[in-house]
Amino acid sequence: AYERVLYRWRPDQRIWLAEVGREPVGFLYATSGPRSGSLHIQQIAIQHDARLREYGSALVRVSEQYAEAIQRSGVALRVASDLEADMFWDSLGYEMVGIINGGQRRNRILHQRYKSLQNGLWR
């Protein structure tokens, strides 16, 4: 699905890569949406053997800095409640602001998470 994004690139999309020795170990894909809204993290993935080494946190920090630079009020995302990643987002200060049905294919519950940003425009 994310390969399609690269072929249908839009100006509101961003992909950041985490690399070790010029080899990719993860990525974060986000969309910025309407000017007054939030940056939306669509996907973050870190290779299994590279987890717990701060690559995910670094990618999130870069996306937050970008969101502040383009004057977004915060960063939003959805994460399945049964994944370890749910705790990852807790540790980075992303509050759960809602719960939605994740669809019938996987029968998951998704946690909607949000982090307000304190950039100059929104203080």
Side-chain angles (χ1 to χ4, degrees):
Y2 295 98
E3 287 178 6
R4 283 185 300 218
V5 168
L6 294 174
Y7 293 115
R8 296 182 191 154
W9 191 255
R10 298 185 328 247
D12 69 331
Q13 300 173 332
R14 292 289 180 270
I15 295 177
W16 291 275
L17 294 176
E19 296 179 328
V20 174
R22 294 188 164 275
E23 291 295 319
V25 295
F27 72 92
L28 186 148
Y29 165 54
T31 56
S32 55
R35 183 135 182 85
S36 62
S38 302
L39 183 77
H40 293 268
I41 294 176
Q42 304 293 339
Q43 179 76 31
I44 183 170
I46 304 295
Q47 284 180 194
H48 239 62
D49 60 347
R51 291 184 182 171
L52 301 176
R53 296 187 185 168
E54 301 297 317
Y55 298 116
S57 299
L59 287 170
V60 172
R61 276 193 306 276
V62 168
S63 70
E64 291 172 353
Q65 291 167 353
Y66 173 75
E68 287 181 331
I70 62 169
Q71 300 180 335
R72 295 301 187 258
S73 58
V75 179
L77 59 98
R78 290 185 234 173
V79 62
S81 62
D82 62 332
L83 297 179
E84 288 180 35
D86 200 34
M87 292 182 290
F88 167 76
W89 294 108
D90 254 345
S91 73
L92 295 178
Y94 283 76
E95 296 180 38
M96 189 169 56
V97 295
I99 298 174
I100 59 172
N101 184 343
Q104 294 181 358
R105 189 179 75 169
R106 292 190 179 164
N107 200 27
R108 282 184 164 162
I109 301 297
L110 300 179
H111 290 171
Q112 294 176 300
R113 292 187 167 272
Y114 187 80
K115 183 176 184 180
S116 293
L117 298 176
Q118 297 299 316
N119 62 48
L121 186 63
W122 303 104
R123 279 192 185 145

